[in-house]
Every structure is written in C-alpha cells, then in structure tokens.
C-alpha cells in the first residue's frame, strides 16, 4: 500500500512541475493521470498493485466526480453564465 502511495505521490509531484507545459497542449490533467494509471497499473508495467474493494471503488468514483465537477465550476465564465442564466437554473 505504501509503495502505491509513494508512486502516486511521485507522479503527482512530477506532474505538478510540468503541468503548465501540458495544459497548453492536448494533454490535460485527467488524461495524464489516466495514462499514468494504465502504464503503471497491472495492465502494463505492474508497478501499482491496487487492492480495492467494491466499496472503495464507489468512494473513489464519488471523490473523483466531486473533484472534476468542482474544478469545472471553478473555471466557469460567470459573465457567460449570467447571460444564459435560464439554462443552469433549469438544470438544477
């Protein structure tokens, strides 16, 4: 478990150093983390060996959804949202 956390922490540090260069290109954060998971996981190199139960997967999916939705909301253009106010109100 600690090896998995160390590998994820090392990738997070490396990504945070080069994030500005990646964001200007086609590679964004979620895509980079997905590619790292596939490459480092059991399907390819096998460095990460996660042992997650069904409940753990559910919690991880909920946390991921919350982070993605929060980051999208944080970067929303308020001027455009106020211009088209009826659509977000209807969605809520």
């Amino acid at each position: 478990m600690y090896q998995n956390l160390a590998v994820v922490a090392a990738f997070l540090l490396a990504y945070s150093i080069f994030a500005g260069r990646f964001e200007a290109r086609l590679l964004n954060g979620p895509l980079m983390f997905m590619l790292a998971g596939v490459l480092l996981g059991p399907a390819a190199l096998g460095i990460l060996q996660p042992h997650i139960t069904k409940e753990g997967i559910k919690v991880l999916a909920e946390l991921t959804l919350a982070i993605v939705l929060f980051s999208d909301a944080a970067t929303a253009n308020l001027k455009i949202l106020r211009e088209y106010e009826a659509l977000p109100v209807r969605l809520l």
Side-chain angles (χ1 to χ4, degrees), residues 4 34-52:
N4 291 339
M34 191 266 317
L35 289 174
V38 169
L39 288 175
L40 298 175
L45 298 176
I47 295 173
L48 292 175
Q49 297 293 328
H51 301 287
I52 302 175

Side-chain angles (χ1 to χ4, degrees), residues 14-77:
Y15 175 76
S16 65
I17 292 171
F18 299 109
R21 294 180 187 158
F22 291 138
E23 292 297 327
R25 299 214 166 60
L26 197 60
L27 302 172
N28 58 8
L31 181 62
M32 291 296 294
F33 277 89
M34 191 266 317
L35 289 174
V38 169
L39 288 175
L40 298 175
L45 298 176
I47 295 173
L48 292 175
Q49 297 293 328
H51 301 287
I52 302 175
T53 63
K54 288 182 181 180
E55 187 64 31
I57 291 174
K58 180 182 174 189
V59 170
L60 181 64
E62 289 174 351
L63 286 173
T64 303
L65 179 63
I67 291 170
V68 168
L69 291 176
F70 180 78
S71 66
D72 283 347
T75 59
N77 189 341

Side-chain angles (χ1 to χ4, degrees), residues 2-3 32 36 41 44 55 65-66 70-72 78 80-81 84 92:
Y2 292 115
Q3 178 186 357
M32 291 296 294
E55 187 64 31
L65 179 63
F70 180 78
S71 66
D72 283 347
L78 291 177
I80 293 175
L81 281 177
Y84 299 102
L92 288 174

